[in-house]
Amino acid sequence: MDQDFARLGAELKAARLRRRPRITQPEAANALGVGRSTVQKMESPRVSQVTRTTIRAYARLLGWTEQSVDQVLAGGEPTAAAEGERPLKAVPSDVGLSPDVEYELRTGKVLGSQVFNLGPDEEDGQIIVVLQGKRDATPAEVERIAARYRKARRHLQGIAAESDEVAES
């Protein structure tokens, strides 16, 4: 398995160096919202120390398909993303989302969103929820997801209400 990870790291580095326009490690890190050391790990045998979600986001940034990471780990070759299938673009770095959240937001289909205030004032914070499903979700799957969210929403509303009670005491 170590050889597979070493090969994955080498393939990712080679893909970055072949990319046109060329991208540096700091530029890749900025685009992914991670530190340069994370990119360095992904381009080395230490790639296994990085979350798969971040590795997949890096692969997409370099123009690979999402399956390419698993293909390389299994001894195969990476597959270039189809023409017109653009690599992931980064959310502005000042937003502060983790690479895992950015990746999930970019790869799924947003079905809805809601903001729960944790207190009466803006300074009290919020819980921001994005309801998401697969891009090709059927209407039945979307309804199943919505039903599950309705149950979870009650709990989130309860958390927000508990926060109001704590703020008032």
Side-chain angles (χ1 to χ4, degrees):
M1 207 55 145
D2 287 335
Q3 288 180 326
D4 292 336
F5 282 107
R7 183 167 172 266
L8 176 61
E11 290 285 344
L12 288 167
K13 182 176 183 176
R16 179 181 57 80
L17 294 173
R18 283 190 307 265
R19 188 177 183 275
R20 298 295 178 257
R22 185 168 248 169
I23 185 171
T24 65
Q25 284 184 337
E27 290 168 337
N30 186 46
L32 295 169
V34 299
R36 182 176 181 204
S37 65
T38 300
V39 174
Q40 289 172 328
K41 283 180 188 173
M42 287 189 288
E43 293 184 355
S44 76
R46 298 179 306 154
V47 65
S48 63
Q49 298 173 0
V50 181
T51 67
R52 286 282 175 104
T53 303
T54 303
I55 297 167
R56 289 182 202 290
Y58 189 42
R60 288 284 310 274
L61 179 71
L62 298 174
W64 290 5
T65 64
E66 293 191 25
Q67 298 80 19
S68 289
V69 171
D70 295 325
Q71 289 169 197
V72 172
L73 285 173
E77 297 297 320
T79 305
E83 194 63 38
E85 195 178 303
R86 295 173 13 163
L88 293 176
K89 298 265 190 230
V91 171
S93 58
D94 62 344
V95 173
L97 296 175
S98 72
D100 295 347
V101 171
E102 284 188 36
Y103 177 81
E104 293 301 330
L105 287 172
R106 294 180 193 297
T107 58
K109 178 180 179 183
V110 174
L111 306 174
S113 60
Q114 189 166 1
V115 176
F116 296 94
N117 292 316
L118 293 175
D121 300 320
E122 280 185 20
E123 299 84 34
D124 294 327
Q126 296 101 9
I127 299 172
I128 300 170
V129 176
V130 177
L131 180 62
Q132 186 167 314
K134 300 183 306 186
R135 286 195 183 274
D136 58 350
T138 65
E141 290 171 323
V142 170
E143 180 50 41
R144 182 178 46 80
I145 293 166
R148 286 182 175 165
Y149 173 64
R150 284 190 291 274
K151 287 181 181 179
R153 184 175 58 204
R154 285 186 225 123
H155 294 290
L156 292 170
Q157 288 168 328
I159 292 169
E162 289 173 17
S163 295
D164 281 344
E165 291 169 10
V166 170
E168 291 172 3
S169 42

